[in-house]
Amino acid sequence: MESLLYLTHRIPFPPNKGDKIRSFNLLKHLAARYSVRLGCFIDDPADWRHLEALGEWCEEIVARPLKPTTARLASLRGLWSGEALTLPYYRDAEMARWVRRCLDEGVDRVVVFSSAMAQYLTQDDHAAHHVVLDFVDVDSDKWRQYAEGRGFPMSWLYRREARRLLAFEREAAAHAAASVFVSEEEAALFRRLAPEVAQRTHAIDNGVDVEYFSPGGDYRNPYGPGERHLVFTGAMDYWANVDAVCWFAEHVFPLVRARMPEARFTIVGARPAPQVLRLAQNPGVRVTGAVHDVRPYQAHAAAAVAPLRIARGVQNKVLEAMAMALPVVATPQALDGLRACPGLAWRVSEDPAEMAGMTVDLLSNPQERARLGEEGRRCVCTHYSWSEHMDRFVALLEAPYGETPPIAEAARRTG
């Protein structure tokens, strides 16, 4: 069995948690074909217990601790070195030595998940090993979006990060055999930003475990009787999620409550930021913090909300809600990259009053909720199979440098 080095910025476990979903499913798919050496960081002490479980898919694992406060201070070195602050944030001498040993021992292929991890490879490494880089999103453009919503000096700092990180992304992509993004929209954006690598830039969708996220499970109801719950799921220390729930709770939900007092807004996710915790003081708003299983909160909710104003790529929270046959009210940004499905009419707006009206209409119409839920699950089951999408990734790993395998070319034409 050929060997493969897999580098990712966060431990890819547990398999149904936020930004770990894609990285875990990629690891699982690769492990069926290669002998995998995994290098990752752990920024949550609770995640150390998952290393033993990951041994099922990995020949060797090196996990390095990453303390966010220390890493943020370390990232400031980028102001003096002239590089993107993201790079020193994820720089670790022990990780670098281990990667060098793996490469010197002759691993056959390399998968890099998240652009920041590409700093551990040199140009010569790319020439000697077949490297596929999964950017997932165009992170540099995310920083550009952040800058638009902030005043000086943060707007200056975020614009700088957008420029410097894009330069690094382009350099990394220039050496890689292929670069992958989570949607055709993200891939098209990168082709415009980095036209020199357009022919080696591909889109591979996220997927959903539709057996795990199934509305047919026996889930305990976590809500009170007579309440109609709107639910938001996600990591609640992630700024885009924080911005989304704060905007919805402050500008949309009061309009919903004025017309439907029994409405509730439940925010489900680990590590809620202080401004998220404060939302629990608002009438009808609940903040759960980390939960063992998000599915009961989805299964017994009336609808999911995805009011993201800053978003890149396909949102797992939307796909999971659809798999649970839960209708979704969203901003246009939250639906970027999702396929259009026959019969599925999204409830989409970025105007608070209009979104509130859509939400109340949906909460008042159980037949429409059921119809949208059924159409959403059908869409996910048809278009978002992990196995199909990850087969395209393996095809890129096996293709000669610079060539697009037929399975990936077909995906581009139909994406």
Side-chain angles (χ1 to χ4, degrees), residues 29-102:
H29 207 76
L30 294 172
R33 293 156 178 81
Y34 306 99
S35 177
V36 177
R37 298 182 179 190
L38 171 66
C40 62
F41 288 99
I42 294 181
D43 59 5
D44 183 345
D47 282 343
W48 285 102
R49 69 183 188 273
H50 299 311
L51 289 178
E52 183 176 355
L54 279 172
E56 177 181 348
W57 298 282
C58 302
E59 172 193 352
E60 181 182 1
I61 302 173
V62 166
R64 297 292 299 155
L66 189 150
K67 296 181 179 179
T69 301
T70 304
R72 280 192 288 270
L73 290 173
S75 72
L76 296 177
R77 299 170 187 163
L79 294 175
W80 284 268
S81 65
E83 62 188 335
L85 305 187
T86 301
L87 301 181
Y89 187 96
Y90 287 104
R91 188 165 294 149
D92 179 84
E94 288 297 323
M95 178 67 74
R97 281 190 284 271
W98 177 76
V99 169
R100 183 54 41 202
R101 175 172 67 81
C102 291

Side-chain angles (χ1 to χ4, degrees), residues 241-251 265 267 275-276 279:
N241 289 342
V242 173
D243 175 81
V245 298
C246 288
W247 178 78
F248 186 84
E250 294 166 1
H251 299 284
F265 177 36
I267 302 166
Q275 55 267 54
V276 175
L279 294 178

